[in-house]
Amino acid sequence: MSTSTRQDDLCFMSISDSARLIASKEVSPVELTSAVLDRIRQCNDELLAYITITGEVALEQARAAETEISAGQYRGRLHGIPVSLKDIIMTKGIRTSCASLDNPDWVPDRDATAYNKLRQAGAILVGKANLREYAFASVNPNFPPPVNPWHRDRTSGGSSSGSAVAVAAGMGHASLGTDTGGSGRSPATQNGVVGLKATYGRVSRDGVFPLSYSLDHTTVMTRTVHDSAIVLDAVSGFDPRDENSAREPVPDFCEKLGRSIKGLRIGIAGGFTNKLVDAEVARLTSQAIRVLEDMGARTLELNLPYVAQCLPVYQPIITAEAATVHYQTLRETPEKLGPDVRSQLDLGSLVPATMYLQAQRIRKVMRDAFREVFEKVDVIVGPALAGRPGPAGKFTTYIDSHEVDDRLVNPEYTGIYNLTGLPALAVPSGFGSDGTPIGIQIAGAWFDEATVFQVAHAYEQATEWHRRRPPDLFSRI
Amino acid sequence: MMSPEPFSPEQIQTLAQFAQLDLPAERVEALARPLAELMERFEQVRSVDTGDREPPTITFDRGELA
């Protein structure tokens, strides 16, 4: 096997396979980390997935992992695994820019809880991933957006685009991002990886710079469903530092993987007000549902409740909460903010309190309606996004030949699960004729991520989308 | 949704005063249409019957309050 092929295989290997080789000492954490760092150095100038590459930290952590494993102190499946963090997640002694000129050289004096948990599990930090400014702006002139490795002229999505690109391009085995209305699942879909938003409160947001406290989630990106469950196992759990952290017990998220889905009740997501789902997205979603039916799942057409109310409810909440977070900057040094994020914050500053509070009340009604839905079904399956990635540098999506504003379309597909706090996972379901990835979304009842993983894993194993790699990378390496 | 009438610069300046924001002309102009659309959109849901329930608030752990 040539050196480059060996590097390629190591970089694109799943966490579960890498862990097996590390545990059996066939691959060392230093070898794996070095391979991923080499890949990052080769690709990052072109793909812009990382704002900061933490090479020295990574090698130091990898050497420590190797010493521990050699001494028989193997910590588990993330020991020696290279991961990244969206650059809005605090890292002690390492710059956390939030992709903004507001405070671009901020060096936190402590780690975020989720990163702490990854460290305790033995994971290796290879870098801080690029994002849209403060996880909010659509176009950021100060930090150029990551490049979609499947199609360079198309958007890599956002806001956790660097995390998604890094995982898709073999520049790290997993990444933590954030998701306030789809900012994790959307770039995961557009870059062909698995994106998980667990139940609100399941994963701590402590040390994650806030966008909208009642909608924010810390999320997981990986190349396979099994890997997503492994990472969620590590980062879940009650955290007193996060006021909305859940005390719910943490199960073994891998427990149901491989179990039959025969007899499971799958609700097919419907009732969207925007009828213009891209034809290729609709076709691949139908194909995915047939795959699930062929495995014995029972399907039921659903009209999801309150989808028409998503955008009107979502927009005042996210803008008002974000404006509250950034109010001082908005008043005193607004020139430090990019024009797009500033406009959104200005808008949020003018949202009346009565509107914000009514929007929050409606969320309770939505939650109750979804509770009834989950009396009839075990999971909900539908398209992850309505369209295919729009042009690079824009926050739009292609629905057939139309270019549509993402912010107007996606709340019904992704934002609904932020409003209700339900767990939702985006998993690749194929490619459009333009070569861009398309995904389905599987949502479950509160704190039932295990069933979401069960269905997603069954689908993934019955298809081959997760085995594909971005084509351009093959020719370059 | 029909495109609503944009807010006038004077209306936005008045709202901005309540928010204690000093907005230059270009930021006022950028808000005219989005603010009108947000307001119009919300009118579609303002009457949703919520049973006059209180909105979610930050919850405190009983142990910490004891």
Side-chain angles (χ1 to χ4, degrees), chain A residues 397-413:
Chain A
T397 192
Y398 282 125
I399 294 180
D400 298 329
S401 57
H402 305 283
E403 190 182 338
V404 183
D405 186 341
D406 262 350
R407 279 184 288 214
L408 300 182
V409 176
N410 284 340
E412 291 190 10
Y413 293 86

Side-chain angles (χ1 to χ4, degrees), chain A residues 300-345:
Chain A
L300 170 71
E301 299 272 352
L302 288 178
N303 273 324
L304 293 181
Y306 290 100
V307 284
Q309 285 74 24
C310 282
L311 180 59
V313 169
Y314 175 79
Q315 198 180 20
I317 293 173
I318 186 173
T319 56
E321 291 187 356
T324 307
V325 170
H326 294 279
Y327 184 64
Q328 194 173 345
T329 308
L330 204 55
R331 283 191 68 181
E332 296 173 5
T333 52
E335 69 281 357
K336 289 185 174 177
L337 297 166
D340 191 70
V341 75
R342 198 171 55 217
S343 289
Q344 292 294 314
L345 297 174

Side-chain angles (χ1 to χ4, degrees), chain A residues 197-248:
Chain A
K197 181 197 83 60
T199 308
Y200 185 76
R202 179 66 100 183
V203 183
S204 171
R205 294 100 38 90
D206 163 67
V208 180
F209 198 92
L211 170 58
S212 175
Y213 85 94
S214 74
L215 296 165
D216 286 345
H217 296 66
T218 304
T219 60
V220 176
M221 294 208 203
T222 53
R223 287 187 288 270
T224 71
V225 174
H226 188 178
D227 288 359
S228 186
I230 289 171
V231 177
L232 187 64
D233 265 336
V235 297
S236 292
F238 174 69
D239 177 16
R241 285 173 176 258
D242 178 346
E243 290 194 356
N244 288 333
S245 182
R247 289 182 176 275
E248 196 73 14

Side-chain angles (χ1 to χ4, degrees), chain A residues 51-64:
Chain A
I51 290 174
T52 302
I53 301 165
T54 53
E56 284 184 23
V57 169
L59 286 173
E60 189 182 320
Q61 292 176 347
R63 282 191 288 269

Side-chain angles (χ1 to χ4, degrees), chain A residues 243 247 315 327 346 361, chain B residues 19 27 41 53 58 61:
Chain A
E243 290 194 356
R247 289 182 176 275
Q315 198 180 20
Y327 184 64
D346 281 343
R361 281 176 168 169
Chain B
R27 283 165 69 186
R41 233 175 250 128
R53 282 176 287 189
I58 293 170
D61 174 62

